[in-house]
Amino acid sequence: MVKTVVIEDMNHLYELLNEQAYRSDIKRNRNLYVYRGQPDASFVLTTSLARNCKEKKKELEPCMLRNFTKYAVLEEPSIEKSVWRQMIFGQHHGLPTRLLDWSFSPLIALHFSVTESDLEDMESRDSAVWRTDIHELHDLLPEKYRAISDKYSTTVFSVDMLAEACESLAMYDSDMGDSAMLMIEPPSVDVRIVNQYSFFSVIPSKMNDIEGFLDAHTKNTVRYIISKKIRWQIRDMLDHQNISERIVYPGLDGLSKWLGRHYYVR
């Protein structure tokens, strides 16, 4: 089930930032949680494909990927041979896809949770950080997918591993139904992916209620509600930790966004 935790002051933030349990087998503190930040706590978990294409998402997805590849292959030739690479490369450049972004870093998720296109909204609404457990999602996968992950001693798939397990979107949708989704680590095609410590969940076309799926099939999923009263304080703390647009979006665009917010007058 999905647990809701409300964070109303900076002391409560400690729980979110320090969730690594001690593992006696390796004498280290580790976890396999991934995090997703959203600027509005009322936003539901949904993909950009579902928001863009609504009930026609399954019909329009292949058309969009095909046309994206037709034009983008000049910049990235590797996408022509893999629908998964098409999807990841497209997501990276703003194409609506079935991928849902996560990060291994709670700080990166917090960054997206306290970032607004209009900074006037920072104090007008609560935001959210979602946390889910890669182990739990892995255990829900069909046997052939778990066998491949065991072969490579990992719970997170690469593009090549997914291609080994599944040859098409139709096969993936058939295999997963609405009761499983796979977590994939994208290839490092850009510094932004590396800096954001990115992962994607590949949402099956039959899974129309992602939050309902997590509530029914997982035990360790948490939805942290970030009070609007402390969003600016968290934003300033993240800047002090060098987590900002300048790092998350390397280049002049990120630099400009960071400077604009840095000199914003409340």
Side-chain angles (χ1 to χ4, degrees), residues 149-182:
S149 67
D150 289 345
K151 173 182 173 181
Y152 292 100
S153 301
T154 180
T155 52
V156 178
F157 277 64
S158 67
V159 171
D160 292 338
M161 288 170 61
L162 182 51
E164 185 177 337
C166 179
E167 63 185 22
S168 67
L169 290 175
M171 179 179 288
Y172 181 82
D173 287 336
S174 176
D175 290 342
M176 299 294 169
D178 62 356
S179 58
M181 65 180 184
L182 179 146

Side-chain angles (χ1 to χ4, degrees), residues 122-133:
M122 284 283 279
E123 295 173 290
S124 68
R125 60 190 184 186
D126 297 338
S127 60
V129 169
W130 283 83
R131 182 203 84 186
T132 195
D133 188 331

Side-chain angles (χ1 to χ4, degrees), residues 179-195:
S179 58
M181 65 180 184
L182 179 146
M183 193 69 69
I184 190 168
E185 184 173 12
S188 299
V189 296
D190 189 278
V191 177
R192 192 169 81 192
I193 286 177
V194 177
N195 285 9

